Protein backbone atom coordinates (compact mmCIF):
# COMPACT_ATOMS: atom_id res chain seq x y z
CA UNK A 1 0.00 0.00 0.00
CA UNK A 2 1.79 3.13 -1.23
CA UNK A 3 0.37 6.26 0.37
CA UNK A 4 1.19 9.83 -0.62
CA UNK A 5 0.31 13.21 0.77
CA UNK A 6 -0.55 15.97 -1.69
CA UNK A 7 -0.33 19.10 0.47
CA UNK A 8 -1.31 22.64 -0.41
CA UNK A 9 -3.54 25.60 0.27
CA UNK A 10 -6.09 24.66 -2.42
CA UNK A 11 -7.62 28.14 -2.16
CA UNK A 12 -9.23 27.25 -4.49
CA UNK A 13 -8.55 23.87 -6.07
CA UNK A 14 -7.69 24.33 -9.77
CA UNK A 15 -7.75 22.03 -12.78
CA UNK A 16 -3.95 21.92 -12.44
CA UNK A 17 -4.28 20.35 -8.97
CA UNK A 18 -6.75 17.79 -10.32
CA UNK A 19 -4.39 16.96 -13.17
CA UNK A 20 -1.58 16.27 -10.68
CA UNK A 21 -3.84 14.11 -8.51
CA UNK A 22 -4.87 12.06 -11.56
CA UNK A 23 -1.22 11.51 -12.44
CA UNK A 24 -0.40 10.65 -8.83
CA UNK A 25 -3.06 7.95 -8.98
CA UNK A 26 -0.87 6.11 -11.50
CA UNK A 27 1.87 5.86 -8.85
CA UNK A 28 0.12 5.54 -5.50
CA UNK A 29 -2.62 3.41 -3.95
CA UNK A 30 -3.83 6.26 -1.79
CA UNK A 31 -3.40 10.02 -1.93
CA UNK A 32 -4.37 12.24 0.96
CA UNK A 33 -5.12 15.73 -0.26
CA UNK A 34 -4.02 17.71 2.77
CA UNK A 35 -5.13 21.32 3.16
CA UNK A 36 -2.75 23.47 5.17
CA UNK A 37 -4.45 25.32 8.03
CA UNK A 38 -2.55 28.60 7.98
CA UNK A 39 -3.79 31.10 10.60
CA UNK A 40 -1.49 33.80 9.17
CA UNK A 41 -3.26 33.97 5.83
CA UNK A 42 -6.67 35.44 5.08
CA UNK A 43 -8.08 32.84 2.69
CA UNK A 44 -10.79 33.29 0.06
CA UNK A 45 -12.48 30.04 1.12
CA UNK A 46 -12.55 28.56 4.63
CA UNK A 47 -10.98 25.17 5.26
CA UNK A 48 -14.43 23.59 5.38
CA UNK A 49 -15.46 25.20 2.08
CA UNK A 50 -12.22 24.02 0.43
CA UNK A 51 -12.63 20.54 1.82
CA UNK A 52 -16.26 20.37 0.61
CA UNK A 53 -15.34 21.45 -2.92
CA UNK A 54 -12.40 19.05 -3.11
CA UNK A 55 -14.57 16.14 -2.04
CA UNK A 56 -17.02 16.86 -4.86
CA UNK A 57 -14.56 17.59 -7.66
CA UNK A 58 -12.34 14.61 -6.88
CA UNK A 59 -15.21 12.42 -8.07
CA UNK A 60 -14.68 13.75 -11.60
CA UNK A 61 -11.10 12.58 -12.05
CA UNK A 62 -9.72 9.36 -13.44
CA UNK A 63 -8.56 7.69 -10.24
CA UNK A 64 -8.27 4.01 -11.21
CA UNK A 65 -8.14 2.01 -7.93
CA UNK A 66 -6.50 4.87 -6.08
CA UNK A 67 -8.13 5.96 -2.84
CA UNK A 68 -8.50 9.71 -2.46
CA UNK A 69 -9.06 11.33 0.91
CA UNK A 70 -9.30 14.99 1.86
CA UNK A 71 -7.93 16.18 5.19
CA UNK A 72 -6.58 19.33 6.82
CA UNK A 73 -3.35 19.67 8.77
CA UNK A 74 -1.52 22.15 10.97
CA UNK A 75 2.16 22.33 11.81
CA UNK A 76 5.00 20.58 10.04
CA UNK A 77 4.07 18.66 6.93
CA UNK A 78 6.54 15.86 7.66
CA UNK A 79 5.05 15.31 11.13
CA UNK A 80 1.64 15.00 9.52
CA UNK A 81 3.02 12.67 6.82
CA UNK A 82 4.58 10.36 9.41
CA UNK A 83 1.37 10.33 11.47
CA UNK A 84 -0.50 9.28 8.32
CA UNK A 85 2.12 6.57 7.61
CA UNK A 86 2.75 8.10 4.19
CA UNK A 87 5.70 7.19 1.99
CA UNK A 88 5.83 10.29 -0.15
CA UNK A 89 4.87 13.91 -0.60
CA UNK A 90 3.63 14.87 -4.07
CA UNK A 91 4.19 18.37 -5.41
CA UNK A 92 3.40 19.77 -8.83
CA UNK A 93 6.09 21.70 -10.68
CA UNK A 94 4.88 23.96 -13.46
CA UNK A 95 7.98 25.85 -14.46
CA UNK A 96 11.61 26.32 -13.49
CA UNK A 97 10.47 29.21 -11.30
CA UNK A 98 8.62 26.72 -9.06
CA UNK A 99 11.64 24.47 -8.83
CA UNK A 100 13.86 26.57 -6.59
CA UNK A 101 11.27 26.92 -3.82
CA UNK A 102 10.11 23.33 -4.18
CA UNK A 103 13.65 21.99 -4.06
CA UNK A 104 14.32 23.99 -0.90
CA UNK A 105 11.19 22.62 0.76
CA UNK A 106 11.87 19.06 -0.40
CA UNK A 107 15.43 19.13 0.96
CA UNK A 108 14.33 20.66 4.26
CA UNK A 109 11.60 18.05 4.55
CA UNK A 110 14.15 15.32 3.81
CA UNK A 111 16.45 16.66 6.50
CA UNK A 112 13.58 16.74 8.98
CA UNK A 113 12.29 13.31 7.99
CA UNK A 114 14.56 11.17 5.78
CA UNK A 115 11.99 8.37 5.47
CA UNK A 116 9.62 10.49 3.35
CA UNK A 117 10.40 11.05 -0.34
CA UNK A 118 9.18 14.06 -2.30
CA UNK A 119 7.90 13.29 -5.79
CA UNK A 120 7.69 16.18 -8.26
CA UNK A 121 5.12 15.83 -11.01
CA UNK A 122 4.53 17.97 -14.08
CA UNK A 123 0.97 18.95 -14.96
CA UNK A 124 -0.28 19.02 -18.56
CA UNK A 125 1.11 22.04 -20.45
CA UNK A 126 -2.43 23.47 -20.54
CA UNK A 127 -2.16 24.08 -16.80
CA UNK A 128 1.45 25.24 -16.68
CA UNK A 129 0.43 28.81 -15.93
CA UNK A 130 -2.56 28.08 -13.66
CA UNK A 131 -2.24 28.94 -9.98
CA UNK A 132 -4.80 29.55 -7.23
CA UNK A 133 -3.36 33.03 -6.77
CA UNK A 134 -3.86 34.02 -10.42
CA UNK A 135 -7.30 32.38 -10.51
CA UNK A 136 -8.40 34.63 -7.63
CA UNK A 137 -6.89 37.70 -9.24
CA UNK A 138 -8.50 37.03 -12.62
CA UNK A 139 -11.83 36.33 -10.91
CA UNK A 140 -11.70 39.49 -8.78
CA UNK A 141 -10.99 41.57 -11.88
CA UNK A 142 -13.89 40.03 -13.79
CA UNK A 143 -11.96 37.63 -16.06
CA UNK A 144 -13.12 34.28 -17.44
CA UNK A 145 -12.26 31.18 -15.38
CA UNK A 146 -13.64 28.50 -17.68
CA UNK A 147 -11.14 25.65 -18.07
CA UNK A 148 -8.96 26.88 -15.20
CA UNK A 149 -11.08 25.62 -12.29
CA UNK A 150 -13.93 23.09 -12.09
CA UNK A 151 -17.37 24.66 -12.76
CA UNK A 152 -18.36 24.07 -9.11
CA UNK A 153 -15.45 26.18 -7.90
CA UNK A 154 -16.32 29.02 -10.26
CA UNK A 155 -19.94 28.90 -9.09
CA UNK A 156 -18.88 28.95 -5.41
CA UNK A 157 -16.57 31.91 -6.07
CA UNK A 158 -19.46 33.83 -7.64
CA UNK A 159 -21.77 32.92 -4.72
CA UNK A 160 -19.14 34.05 -2.25
CA UNK A 161 -18.84 37.57 -3.64
CA UNK A 162 -22.63 37.93 -3.94
CA UNK A 163 -22.74 37.23 -0.18
O1 LIG B 1 -0.05 25.15 -2.19
P1 LIG B 1 1.04 25.80 -1.39
O2 LIG B 1 0.47 26.93 -0.57
O3 LIG B 1 2.20 26.19 -2.24
O4 LIG B 1 1.56 24.68 -0.33
C1 LIG B 1 2.63 24.95 0.53
C2 LIG B 1 2.76 23.83 1.59
C3 LIG B 1 1.44 23.58 2.30
C4 LIG B 1 3.23 22.56 0.92
C5 LIG B 1 3.87 24.28 2.60
O5 LIG B 1 3.62 25.60 3.00
C6 LIG B 1 3.95 23.41 3.83
O6 LIG B 1 4.34 22.27 3.76
N1 LIG B 1 3.55 23.96 5.01
C7 LIG B 1 3.53 23.24 6.26
C8 LIG B 1 4.58 23.75 7.24
C9 LIG B 1 5.90 23.09 6.99
O7 LIG B 1 6.06 21.88 7.01
N2 LIG B 1 6.92 23.94 6.73
C10 LIG B 1 8.26 23.50 6.41
C11 LIG B 1 8.37 23.22 4.91
S1 LIG B 1 10.01 22.83 4.47
Amino acid sequence: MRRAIYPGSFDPVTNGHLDIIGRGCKLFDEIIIAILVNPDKRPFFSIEERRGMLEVVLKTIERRDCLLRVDAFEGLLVHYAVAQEAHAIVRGIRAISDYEYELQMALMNRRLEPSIETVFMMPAETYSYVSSRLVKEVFQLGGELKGLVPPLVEARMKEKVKG
Side-chain angles (χ1 to χ4, degrees), residues 5-161:
I5 308 288
Y6 182 41
S9 306
F10 303 104
D11 188 33
V13 59
T14 68
N15 287 342
H17 292 127
L18 297 181
D19 181 271
I20 293 290
I21 297 166
R23 289 172 199 280
C25 280
K26 296 182 196 164
L27 302 181
F28 297 101
D29 302 305
E30 181 175 9
I31 302 177
I32 303 173
I33 293 92
I35 311 168
L36 173 69
V37 180
N38 187 350
D40 300 335
K41 267 196 190 170
R42 271 196 57 228
F44 189 87
F45 286 113
S46 71
I47 294 285
E48 281 322 308
E49 287 169 328
R50 281 178 262 168
R51 186 199 283 263
M53 280 184 281
L54 271 161
E55 275 162 1
V56 175
V57 300
L58 286 178
K59 296 197 173 88
T60 64
I61 67 174
E62 171 86 68
R63 62 162 78 186
R64 299 177 168 78
D65 291 330
C66 177
L67 283 170
L68 295 176
R69 193 147 56 85
V70 184
D71 196 11
F73 77 103
E74 276 177 271
L76 275 185
L77 172 61
V78 287
H79 288 170
Y80 172 77
V82 168
Q84 297 297 319
E85 297 180 354
H87 304 93
I89 292 166
V90 169
R91 291 288 288 170
I93 297 224
R94 290 161 298 198
I96 288 291
S97 49
D98 284 338
Y99 180 72
E100 224 170 300
Y101 170 62
E102 293 297 333
L103 176 69
Q104 209 179 1
M105 276 206 300
L107 294 179
M108 180 61 82
N109 284 334
R110 181 190 280 167
R111 182 196 165 97
L112 295 168
E113 185 47 64
S115 70
I116 309 261
E117 290 298 331
T118 296
V119 176
F120 291 151
M121 303 198 74
M122 281 81 66
E125 300 91 279
T126 343
Y127 305 123
S128 59
Y129 56 88
V130 180
S131 69
S132 300
R133 185 182 63 79
L134 276 187
V135 160
K136 283 180 284 198
E137 188 171 318
V138 168
F139 172 76
Q140 272 153 357
L141 298 173
E144 176 61 54
L145 293 187
K146 200 164 184 288
L148 304 179
V149 294
L152 171 78
V153 171
E154 188 177 359
R156 294 271 168 91
M157 289 179 89
K158 286 182 177 156
E159 279 165 27
K160 188 110 194 149
V161 293

